[in-house]
Amino acid sequence: MAQILLLAKHLRDANSVDILPALGLLSHQIRVIPSDASQLAELPSADLILLDARSDLVNARAMCKLLSGTNQAPVLVIMTEGGLATLAGDWGFDDFVLADISPAELDARVRLSLSASTADEVISSGGIEIDESAYAARLNGRALDLTYTEFELLKYLVQHPGRVFSREQLLSDVWGYDYYGGTRTVDVHVRRLRAKLGPEYEQMIVTVRNVGYRLAIR
């Protein structure tokens, strides 16, 4: 469930369902605030921003430009079909939706926007840093030379520090359901990862007897 801000030009006679009916059928938390530049200095935190551009395209374009310079949350512009011809890349929005969008499509657009907004984040735990955008892994600043699968396995463990995973679960979540190899391949990749972490840090990947593995929180 996402925290969504809905910026609306006319608050007196509109709520989130009036502006975007599909929102009423989704479980996201919605807060409606005025679409006004004076509100940006104290804009509440949110996972995503919806900007009502159905009736005032000039204001919507100005707000998009302001938001792109001051806000980290993705911005989705709500449009009517008649207004699509005015959209341009210099607005600075992340995506647009039509006001009569279906709930399923809106939910998909929200999920994709949220995943895209976090794609470039660096994940870290216990001195290990995973940079997904650069496909790079570092241990206390030292670059790790990993294969694709080693990188994906280490990333998965770093994303869930302290949590114990069975070999079967790691096969499913890292290798995928269409992988037909045995669980021994997990042991092989863990052994290789430990070797690349080095003697001082190899025990960060802890073997949990009769279960699987976890990343120790140091």
Side-chain angles (χ1 to χ4, degrees), residues 25-183:
L25 298 175
L26 301 180
S27 60
H28 303 300
Q29 293 186 359
I30 314 297
R31 180 173 178 180
V32 184
I33 64 174
S35 178
D36 191 307
S38 64
Q39 299 289 321
L40 295 185
E42 299 180 357
L43 199 66
S45 61
D47 300 315
L48 181 139
I49 293 176
L50 288 168
L51 175 61
D52 182 13
R54 297 171 303 156
S55 60
D56 192 339
L57 294 169
V58 174
N59 176 72
R61 182 175 183 271
M63 288 295 294
C64 278
K65 287 180 173 291
L66 291 171
L67 286 167
S68 66
T70 60
N71 180 71
Q72 298 299 315
V75 177
L76 273 65
V77 179
I78 305 168
M79 300 291 297
T80 61
E81 191 167 352
L84 292 180
T86 67
L87 288 179
D90 65 352
W91 281 40
F93 60 87
D94 296 276
D95 198 0
F96 73 89
V97 297
L98 292 177
D100 61 354
I101 190 173
S102 70
E105 183 179 352
L106 177 59
D107 189 51
R109 293 286 187 95
V110 169
R111 286 188 287 102
L112 289 172
S113 295
L114 293 176
S115 63
S117 71
T118 58
D120 294 336
E121 290 184 357
V122 174
I123 307 164
S124 62
S125 180
I128 299 174
E129 292 185 351
I130 302 293
D131 186 343
E132 291 189 271
S133 61
Y135 228 83
R138 293 178 293 272
L139 174 60
N140 292 333
R142 172 173 63 90
L144 298 173
D145 183 16
L146 305 179
T147 66
Y148 172 83
T149 307
E150 289 166 355
F151 178 87
E152 291 296 322
L153 176 58
L154 183 61
K155 180 182 76 173
Y156 190 79
L157 293 172
V158 170
Q159 287 174 321
H160 306 91
R163 182 175 169 183
V164 179
F165 293 98
S166 68
R167 293 168 175 82
E168 291 79 9
Q169 188 171 1
L170 289 172
L171 272 178
S172 171
D173 293 349
V174 177
W175 277 260
Y177 285 102
D178 57 348
Y179 182 79
Y180 294 102
T183 56

